[in-house]
Amino acid sequence: MIAEELINHMIPPLKLKDDAHKAMLWMEELRSNELPVVDNELFKGILTEDMILEVNDVDKLVADFKLQNENCSVNKNTHFYDVLKVAAENKAKMVGVLDDELKYIGVISVQDTVTAFAQSAAVHMPGGILVLSMSQIDYSLAEISRLIEENNAKILSSSVKEDELDGSKLRVTLKINKLDLTAIIATLDRFGYKIIARFQETKIEEGQKDRLDLLLRYLDI
C-alpha cells in the first residue's frame, strides 16, 4: 500500500488566510487537534490546537503562526512502512502527501497508517494482535496477562497509548502467540474488557518482525 491510497479525504487543509477561529471549528468538527496548512498547492506544515490556545486569539491568521512539521511530507508513491517511519522521526500525527511536482494532494492520518501497518503485519506473522480500550484506572497488564495465560497463550509484546479522542482512556495493543483468538476474546469480554480491533496472523516473512517492532514503538510515542 502506498501513501496516495492512505490519504484521508475527510481532512481539509487550512489556507494561510484562514483565521484561528475557523481552524478551531474544523478541529472540533473533525475531532482532531491539528490540521494541515496549504498555500498555492504547497504543503506549509501543521497547525495544532495547542498553538491556538497558547496565543488565545481566534482572530489571528494561520499565516501568523509558526507551523510545525513543515518538512513532514512524502511522495504519493511512498510505501506506508516509510510513511510510518517519517511520522515517527518527526513525532507527527499527520503526514502531507505530495505529487511528483511537490504539490500537495492530501494528508495521511498516522492512526490510519498504523491500522494499515497492523493489518499488513497480521498477514505475515504467526499469532495474533488484539487492541483493547479501557479506562486508565482499570489498566493492569498483570491481570490481562493472567486471563490470557488461562487460555494457554502468552503475551509476546505489548504497547500502551493514551486514546487521542478521550484522555481518560488507554489503547492497549497486545501481540499474542496464538492464531485462534476466539477463546481469549471470550474470556476478556467476560471480564469486561472492550476489544476494538483484532488481527490474526499466518506466516513469517523476512523483515516483518522489525516492522512490527516499529509499529509498537510508534504506539508508545
Side-chain angles (χ1 to χ4, degrees):
M1 188 173 294
I2 59 175
E4 189 173 26
E5 298 171 338
L6 291 167
I7 290 175
N8 188 327
H9 297 285
M10 299 300 292
I11 301 176
L14 292 165
K15 297 181 175 62
L16 292 177
K17 65 181 181 181
D18 292 331
D19 57 31
H21 177 66
K22 179 177 182 178
M24 291 294 285
L25 289 176
W26 281 14
M27 289 179 189
E28 182 178 358
E29 181 179 347
L30 295 167
R31 301 183 68 185
S32 172
N33 58 9
E34 57 185 55
L35 287 171
V37 178
V38 173
D39 181 47
N40 292 325
E41 299 184 87
L42 298 178
F43 177 66
K44 306 301 290 186
I46 298 293
L47 178 68
T48 71
E49 181 182 35
D50 287 343
M51 294 163 62
I52 298 173
L53 294 176
E54 185 176 346
V55 300
N56 194 28
D57 181 3
V58 295
D59 294 324
K60 186 172 182 177
L61 297 180
V62 172
D64 296 327
F65 287 90
K66 181 174 175 55
L67 303 176
Q68 295 181 355
N69 296 329
E70 61 270 19
N71 296 317
C72 187
S73 60
V74 296
N75 180 270
K76 64 180 181 178
N77 294 312
T78 301
H79 195 279
F80 73 99
Y81 293 147
D82 294 318
V83 173
L84 185 58
K85 181 180 179 181
V86 168
E89 289 173 347
N90 289 274
K91 298 185 177 180
K93 295 179 182 178
M94 289 186 180
V95 177
V97 182
L98 314 179
D99 64 15
D100 292 334
E101 298 178 350
L102 302 182
K103 293 182 179 180
Y104 175 89
I105 59 175
V107 71
I108 295 172
S109 162
V110 174
Q111 189 60 47
D112 294 339
T113 309
V114 168
T115 299
F117 191 102
Q119 289 172 331
S120 174
V123 173
H124 298 100
M125 296 187 70
I129 296 173
L130 291 179
V131 183
L132 284 61
S133 175
M134 67 189 69
S135 299
Q136 294 194 29
I137 195 171
D138 294 329
Y139 172 67
S140 170
L141 184 59
E143 175 64 13
I144 296 170
S145 179
R146 182 184 68 80
L147 295 174
I148 289 174
E149 289 177 3
E150 285 182 358
N151 289 278
N152 298 315
K154 291 185 179 296
I155 297 175
L156 298 178
S157 62
S158 66
S159 178
V160 181
K161 182 184 178 185
E162 184 178 287
D163 194 311
E164 294 179 0
L165 301 180
D166 186 344
S168 68
K169 291 187 177 180
L170 300 174
R171 288 195 176 193
V172 181
T173 303
L174 305 172
K175 177 71 190 317
I176 301 169
N177 68 337
K178 230 179 182 184
L179 286 172
D180 187 356
L181 303 175
T182 305
I184 294 171
I185 289 172
T187 298
L188 293 173
D189 183 66
R190 189 166 68 251
F191 281 84
Y193 289 98
K194 181 181 179 182
I195 297 170
I196 58 175
R198 59 183 287 182
F199 308 101
Q200 292 190 195
E201 306 166 335
T202 56
K203 63 180 181 179
I204 296 176
E205 187 171 285
E206 186 177 355
Q208 285 298 115
K209 183 180 184 302
D210 292 339
R211 292 163 181 166
L212 182 59
D213 288 343
L214 176 61
L215 167 63
L216 295 176
R217 285 199 301 273
Y218 178 78
L219 289 171
D220 276 332
I221 288 177

